[in-house]
Amino acid sequence: MEKTTFAFEKITQELLDFLRQSPSVFHAAATMKEMLEAAGYVRLLEGQAWKLEPGRGYYVTRNDSALIAFFIPKKDFAGFQVMASHGDSPVFKVKANAEIEVEQHYVKLNVEKYGGMLCAPWLDRPLSVAGRIVVRTEAGITTRLVWVDRDLLIIPNLAIHMNRNVNDGMAFNAQKDMLPLFCGGGEDAKGSFLKLIAREAGVEAEDILDTDLYLYNRMQGTVLGLNGEFVASPRLDDLQCAFASLKGFLAAEPKDSVAVHCVLDNEEVGSGSKQGAASTFLKDVLRRINDGLGRTEEDYLTAIASSFMVSADNAHGIHPNQPDKGDPTNRPYLNEGIVIKYSANQKYTTDAVSGALFKMLCERAGVPYQTFHNRSDILGGSTLGNISTSQVPLNTVDVGLPQLAMHSCCETAGVKDTAYLAEAARVLFSTSVRGLGDGDYRLE
Ligand code: CO
């Protein structure tokens, strides 16, 4: 095995920058666009004809929140090498008509849950708002990203004196307990939320027709532990994988297969949107690549059989205070490598073939891997891999980076694992997994 040296500190700082620049799913897509354009990738629009050339890289977005980038090798390609992750995270979304005045002395914002978050970590910390607004133009509408980059909101806890049993377990009512305080009350306060958003976007409040605005945790990601071995940040699930996938993608040299970096939206709410894994987004892109290069339907199906997809979504590491929540014989720890996830019920797509192929790729990359199963008496979560394969039946493995406190607004992971996944992604994107028979493959 080739000995690989990793720049753990450097990639961790880059990851933290990426996370800071990505306070919402729309900003995560915008941050990736910038990185791709800096590397010479050309933007395509779904609503225009694509003129594709071998030896070049492109990217396309859907809904400004899902992004697929691909690189076409110089010679006719054997298949697609895909890494798919997701850009969304559990969060609170600001509702329409958001202002709620409380006894003429406070204004709070009406919000609702997006996905299944741990509620407690959102309390008693500075928060703000990011997302997109849609404004009227003379001829139609246009979309603007908005990022209020200052401490703006807080969701205050109730004092323990008024809730003596709180430390024995608290049931959070999303409509009652989770609304953030925005400002003091009075006549002047009316309409001030949209006015603030309009000012931040440089538009008139009357021109804002609709919004997709989300709260975000103002705490910035940081490195901690005696030897700086851990990273704590909002949105590690799944931007740590999305970032590692893009790093590997930009460093790869695809020779025989099309490399496809795919970051989908709405994984946290079941992937059922037009920009989620259940949609045709990935399939549409792969078909347009195939057709755009003058290839036939037979060529497409042949390519699908010689393709491999890594569904990369963060995994549960063994918890230091709750080690018995993990499976007795599969014990993933932070900083000990990429986690291959298994589920007999196919909540994860990994089977013996895709697991074995991924282990081969890790060996070629010189990176460690670990395995995850749920305890047999714990239901566990799911991810986008098996949803995506109903649209594009790719040979798929489910993996992730080990982390703690999944779906908290501050999650903890290992500084080494980002580099491991980036390197595995680089090898994945530079390799072809050629189908020889059903279950037999050659890595080229
Ligand atoms: Co996830």
Side-chain angles (χ1 to χ4, degrees):
M1 195 192 302
E2 228 180 300
K3 193 155 168 7
T4 318
T5 49
F6 296 100
F8 296 123
E9 276 175 38
K10 181 165 175 285
I11 198 167
T12 301
Q13 287 309 319
E14 289 174 3
L15 170 67
L16 291 174
D17 284 343
F18 180 83
L19 290 160
R20 280 183 202 123
Q21 295 301 316
S22 307
S24 78
V25 67
F26 303 106
H27 291 86
T31 307
M32 289 188 285
K33 276 195 235 177
E34 264 177 45
M35 291 169 71
L36 286 159
E37 287 193 357
Y41 281 73
V42 176
R43 183 172 193 185
L44 300 168
L45 295 173
E46 288 197 284
Q48 291 177 4
W50 293 6
K51 288 195 188 65
L52 303 178
E53 287 171 40
R56 298 203 64 179
Y58 304 87
Y59 74 90
V60 55
T61 59
R62 185 179 279 188
N63 190 51
D64 275 328
S65 63
L67 178 145
I68 297 178
F70 56 91
F71 188 91
I72 305 170
K74 284 218 172 74
K75 63 177 189 183
D76 196 25
F77 62 86
F80 303 99
Q81 299 285 106
V82 187
M83 187 170 280
S85 54
H86 67 90
D88 61 321
S89 321
V91 68
F92 291 93
K93 184 173 188 193
V94 181
K95 292 183 184 173
N97 305 310
E99 293 174 9
I100 299 177
E101 204 178 22
V102 182
E103 302 181 4
Q104 290 103 49
H105 288 277
Y106 302 117
V107 176
K108 59 185 180 180
L109 297 183
N110 195 5
V111 298
E112 62 181 324
K113 282 179 170 182
Y114 171 88
M117 74 285 286
L118 291 168
C119 283
W122 284 89
L123 298 165
D124 299 335
R125 58 170 72 236
L127 306 172
S128 194
V129 174
R132 70 174 175 186
I133 61 170
V134 178
V135 296
R136 92 176 78 237
T137 62
E138 254 167 53
I141 58 169
T142 187
T143 300
R144 300 273 178 91
L145 297 197
V146 178
W147 174 5
V148 181
D149 190 10
R150 70 173 174 91
D151 298 345
L152 180 70
L153 304 162
I154 197 158
I155 308 173
N157 254 303
L158 185 63
I160 194 162
H161 314 81
M162 298 165 193
N163 190 10
R164 287 283 179 194
N165 298 326
V166 61
N167 290 330
D168 302 327
M170 163 91 184
F172 292 93
N173 178 320
Q175 189 61 64
K176 194 168 166 55
D177 300 315
M178 301 309 298
L179 305 189
L181 176 63
F182 171 53
C183 66
E187 267 315 298
D188 296 355
K190 267 203 181 65
S192 49
F193 179 66
L194 270 193
K195 277 187 206 142
L196 165 76
I197 296 300
R199 201 162 58 239
E200 290 284 333
V203 303
E204 298 298 324
E206 309 78 79
D207 288 331
I208 300 178
L209 290 169
D210 220 328
T211 64
D212 288 315
L213 295 170
Y214 300 86
L215 306 189
Y216 74 93
N217 178 5
R218 289 284 295 165
M219 178 201 153
Q220 304 210 327
T222 187
V223 171
L224 43 81
L226 173 65
N227 301 305
E229 55 269 71
F230 306 119
V231 56
S233 172
R235 299 179 297 281
L236 286 171
D237 170 15
D238 190 27
L239 293 184
Q240 189 182 15
C241 286
F243 172 77
S245 173
L246 183 53
K247 287 294 286 183
F249 178 79
L250 291 174
E253 288 173 22
K255 290 181 284 288
D256 294 309
S257 282
V258 180
V260 184
H261 161 77
C262 175
V263 182
L264 297 163
D265 191 7
N266 300 126
E267 191 277 338
E268 300 294 356
V269 293
S271 297
S273 66
K274 66 187 181 302
Q275 59 277 358
S279 79
T280 58
F281 187 30
L282 178 60
K283 180 164 74 179
D284 293 345
V285 170
L286 300 189
R287 283 199 168 272
R288 286 179 84 159
I289 296 169
N290 184 77
D291 299 355
L293 294 168
R295 294 158 54 104
T296 64
E297 174 73 10
E298 179 77 1
D299 292 335
Y300 175 74
L301 295 173
T302 308
I304 291 296
S306 272
S307 298
F308 190 52
M309 179 158 104
V310 176
S311 158
D313 190 4
N314 268 5
H316 302 296
I318 294 296
H319 195 286
N321 294 341
Q322 304 278 351
D324 55 339
K325 291 288 182 191
D327 181 67
T329 62
N330 295 279
R331 313 286 293 167
Y333 300 103
L334 274 52
N335 287 315
E336 296 187 23
I338 303 166
V339 180
I340 306 173
K341 305 181 199 175
Y342 294 87
S343 152
N345 294 330
Q346 287 289 292
K347 289 247 177 145
Y348 303 127
T349 54
T350 313
D351 55 26
V353 171
S354 62
L357 278 172
F358 188 73
K359 289 174 185 174
M360 288 281 291
L361 288 169
C362 285
E363 283 174 20
R364 289 197 173 191
V367 304
Y369 57 81
Q370 321 176 66
T371 52
F372 173 88
H373 285 256
N374 281 301
R375 274 180 66 109
S376 303
D377 53 2
I378 290 181
L379 198 54
S382 62
T383 181
L384 54 87
N386 66 343
I387 297 173
S388 176
T389 51
S390 65
Q391 289 290 349
V392 191
L394 297 168
N395 191 2
T396 302
V397 66
D398 264 296
V399 307
L401 298 179
Q403 69 158 93
L404 307 173
M406 189 177 285
H407 292 191
S408 171
C409 66
C410 176
E411 303 172 317
T412 297
V415 296
K416 292 184 176 177
D417 298 313
T418 316
Y420 293 150
L421 185 61
E423 180 60 10
R426 189 189 67 75
V427 170
L428 167 80
F429 291 131
S430 306
T431 306
S432 271
V433 175
R434 198 179 286 268
L436 301 177
D438 198 2
D440 293 0
Y441 295 87
R442 191 169 63 221
L443 278 72
E444 297 174 345

